[in-house]
Amino acid sequence: MGDRSGASGSRRRRTGSRPSSQGGSGPAAAAAEEEVRDVGAGGDAPAPEKDKDGDVDVGSGQWDLRCHRLQDSLFSSDSGFNNYRGILNWCVVMLVLSNARLFLENLIKYGILVDPIQVVSLFLKDPYSWPALCLVIVANVFAVAAFQVEKRLAVGALTEPAGLLLHVVNLATILCFPAAVALLLESITPVGSVLALMAYTILFLKLFSYRDVNLWCRQQRRARAKAKAAAAGKKANGGAAQCTVSYPDNLTYRDLYYFLFAPTLCYELNFPRSARIRKRFLLRRLLEMLFLTQLMVGLIQQWMVPTIQNSMKPFKDMDHSRIIERLLKLAVPNHLIWLIFFYWLFHSCLNAVAELMHFGDREFYRDWWNSESVTYFWQNWNIPVHKWCLRHFYKPMLRKGSSKWVARTGVFLASAFFHEYLVSVPLRMFRLWAFTGMMAQIPLAWIVGRFFRGNYGNAAVWLTIIIGQPVAVLMYVHDYYVLNHEAPTAAA
């Protein structure tokens, strides 16, 4: 009774001070008003006081009567809580443990399969014959040919139609010549063919951009009157003339080969340059390249190859349940290797090359892992190729009157062609699985964009990446196995 009367007296004293607090002003009035609000909201007692460390003061026992307030559970969307770092760490731990179990199971079942000598045999059949390397060296002929055509176009020794014809012949030969060598030369390996064809594909895209940019420079030079061009040049150059290059001063071998080795597919007369080489940054990238290369080779030999070999019998027997099981089993190592390869190429390798060449634009990728649509993924996971497609393919088609849908379809067609080119030619078989997979991205992008939003769209994109790639891998491996192993055995 004494406590209750004391609490009632305290309440009467606080409520009795309400008129004075309303009529007053300043900190005292605000404090009194806060007390009144606490009483009305919480019932018998205001919120407990806290000490300087943020803990509840256990000495103020009369304030401990209220321990509840209006609030939502953390998992409710209305709570506004979004710190799930602990759950993310839990997912990482579970992922590591589950993959560790799979790795241990693989070691128990197959033993250690990693063999560095076998890796060398993938590149060379004969240690005295290096056809893939010779192909890459010969590529310099096509680069010099494109340079000489541009030099003659710059001085007017060639007409634009003649220059266009020579460039078309040169670019077509860049694609056809290495393909013919890969198909006809028996001493070249599939892996060597892939590397050589990739080098020629990069050269094709770079020289295409080199021709386009120089053509635009000539068009701008013709569009301006000579007097205005001279006046604009005197006014614009000034002190900046020492560090910028204008057309046709860019037509030098130094400029050409800087572009050919730079980590970009789009040519510019003046690339952004970094001030210095950061030695620690470069060393980290080189160590990452070395370590991740060994890791990828080990994972392929130890984890991926046995799974693929064990998948041939279900394909031969057309056991659909076993095929799906093998597909899901292959999806894990395939996706892990793909993620490592992405980091190795787009972060470690391209940053190392850019650092050595003082290349300033380091945007080689964007946040594709947050993609909520297939279109966003393809626009952000490979920025050098995306910039090339946008600059030299998509926008020119729009300027010529094509619709956005036609231009986008054209970009996917070109991408599908190069994917098939880099797979079918080295394997010496044409099954169009890569081409079909790339063209299937068009309806897939529509479906994901139409029916999935937010996190569901992101999950759909991840699912297509994780499942789609091993499907293509199994298709090609199965066909290659049938063509090169079962067919000769049946013939014998």
Side-chain angles (χ1 to χ4, degrees):
M1 288 297 291
D3 291 341
R4 186 178 303 173
S5 62
S8 302
S10 177
R11 187 187 305 118
R12 284 194 297 270
R13 283 195 296 272
R14 277 187 267 112
T15 54
S17 63
R18 186 183 302 176
S20 61
S21 66
Q22 289 175 348
S25 60
E33 198 169 329
E34 182 66 24
E35 285 186 350
V36 172
R37 281 199 300 269
D38 286 343
V39 172
D44 287 337
E49 296 180 357
K50 295 184 178 181
D51 60 14
K52 61 181 181 180
D53 295 327
D55 296 327
V56 176
D57 188 1
V58 296
S60 57
Q62 60 179 337
W63 306 125
D64 293 340
L65 298 179
R66 193 184 70 167
C67 63
H68 299 286
R69 61 188 175 91
L70 187 65
Q71 56 184 332
D72 292 305
S73 299
L74 293 184
F75 286 148
S76 300
S77 58
D78 294 334
S79 68
F81 181 80
N82 57 7
N83 184 9
Y84 298 103
R85 181 170 54 87
I87 295 180
L88 179 62
N89 291 335
W90 170 79
C91 292
V92 172
V93 171
M94 292 298 294
L95 182 65
V96 170
L97 290 177
S98 60
N99 284 301
R101 185 199 66 80
L102 291 174
F103 184 72
L104 182 61
E105 180 185 12
N106 180 278
L107 283 178
I108 295 174
K109 187 175 182 180
Y110 301 108
I112 298 177
L113 301 177
V114 178
D115 184 7
I117 304 301
Q118 186 182 14
V119 177
V120 177
S121 66
L122 296 175
F123 294 88
L124 298 172
K125 286 184 178 179
D126 183 358
Y128 299 101
S129 177
W130 300 62
L133 180 61
C134 293
L135 263 179
V136 174
I137 295 173
V138 171
N140 288 277
V141 174
F142 303 102
V144 172
F147 173 76
Q148 292 297 330
V149 170
E150 286 299 325
K151 287 284 287 185
R152 282 156 178 76
L153 285 169
V155 299
L158 279 176
T159 62
E160 288 295 339
L164 176 61
L165 178 62
L166 291 175
H167 275 302
V168 169
V169 172
N170 188 48
L171 292 173
T173 308
I174 288 174
L175 295 181
C176 296
F177 172 69
V181 173
L183 291 172
L184 299 176
L185 189 64
E186 292 295 331
S187 62
I188 192 168
T189 63
V191 176
S193 297
V194 169
L195 296 179
L197 290 176
M198 193 171 295
Y200 273 81
T201 301
I202 293 172
L203 179 65
F204 172 89
L205 298 176
K206 283 177 177 282
L207 292 183
F208 193 103
S209 178
Y210 189 71
R211 179 258 170 191
D212 268 3
V213 173
N214 284 299
L215 173 62
W216 297 337
C217 290
R218 287 193 299 273
Q219 290 172 346
Q220 288 181 355
R221 186 175 61 173
R222 291 193 210 98
R224 291 193 296 256
K226 292 183 179 181
K228 290 183 179 180
K234 292 178 182 178
K235 187 181 295 185
N237 286 341
Q242 297 178 355
C243 59
T244 58
V245 177
S246 59
Y247 185 83
D249 297 335
N250 64 303
L251 297 177
T252 62
Y253 281 111
R254 179 186 179 88
D255 180 86
L256 172 66
Y257 275 92
Y258 179 87
F259 170 55
L260 292 182
F261 286 100
T264 181
L265 300 176
C266 295
Y267 178 67
E268 285 185 24
L269 274 67
N270 298 282
F271 289 105
R273 303 291 184 96
S274 55
R276 62 184 180 87
I277 295 178
R278 297 168 293 176
K279 296 181 177 61
R280 291 184 179 180
F281 178 86
L282 178 61
L283 181 61
R284 287 198 299 269
R285 300 291 82 80
L286 294 175
L287 291 176
E288 286 174 357
M289 290 169 59
L290 180 62
F291 171 73
L292 294 178
T293 299
Q294 300 295 328
L295 181 61
M296 284 189 291
V297 170
L299 289 174
I300 290 172
Q301 289 184 321
Q302 185 69 43
W303 198 353
M304 198 166 176
V305 172
T307 304
I308 293 175
Q309 290 175 343
N310 294 334
S311 302
M312 294 301 101
K313 190 177 186 302
F315 267 95
K316 183 179 178 180
D317 299 339
M318 293 306 294
D319 187 349
H320 296 92
S321 59
R322 294 288 292 174
I323 290 174
I324 295 174
E325 185 267 336
R326 290 295 164 182
L327 174 65
L328 296 176
K329 190 173 183 178
L330 180 63
V332 176
N334 177 84
H335 185 63
L336 181 60
I337 292 168
W338 182 80
L339 290 176
I340 296 173
F341 174 78
F342 167 81
Y343 186 91
W344 174 82
L345 177 61
F346 289 97
H347 188 74
S348 301
C349 295
L350 294 186
N351 268 296
V353 174
E355 196 69 26
L356 286 171
M357 300 186 69
H358 294 271
F359 188 79
D361 187 0
R362 308 295 176 87
E363 191 186 38
F364 305 122
Y365 54 90
R366 298 190 190 117
D367 61 333
W368 57 265
W369 47 88
N370 294 325
S371 301
E372 297 179 2
S373 66
V374 176
T375 303
Y376 187 88
F377 168 78
W378 287 110
Q379 290 174 348
N380 291 276
W381 93 279
N382 188 340
I383 294 301
V385 171
H386 172 67
K387 284 183 178 178
W388 187 94
C389 292
L390 194 66
R391 187 192 196 196
H392 299 286
F393 203 101
Y394 184 78
K395 288 184 177 179
M397 289 187 69
L398 293 181
R399 285 194 292 267
K400 291 179 181 179
S402 300
S403 65
K404 289 185 178 181
W405 187 88
V406 172
R408 191 177 296 117
T409 303
V411 170
F412 274 106
L413 273 170
S415 180
F417 165 78
F418 281 111
H419 276 79
E420 191 65 39
Y421 175 80
L422 292 173
V423 176
S424 291
V425 174
L427 295 179
R428 296 175 182 172
M429 64 179 192
F430 299 93
R431 296 296 187 271
L432 299 180
W433 296 119
F435 185 89
T436 304
M438 282 304 303
M439 294 309 298
Q441 299 299 308
I442 299 175
L444 180 64
W446 181 85
I447 293 172
V448 173
R450 178 70 175 81
F451 297 103
F452 299 94
R453 293 287 188 276
N455 291 332
Y456 296 103
N458 182 251
V461 172
W462 275 113
L463 187 63
T464 58
I465 297 172
I466 295 172
I467 300 299
Q469 292 176 356
V471 169
V473 169
L474 285 180
M475 293 295 103
Y476 277 107
V477 170
H478 172 263
D479 292 349
Y480 186 80
Y481 176 81
V482 170
L483 186 64
N484 293 275
H485 292 87
E486 286 193 355
T489 303

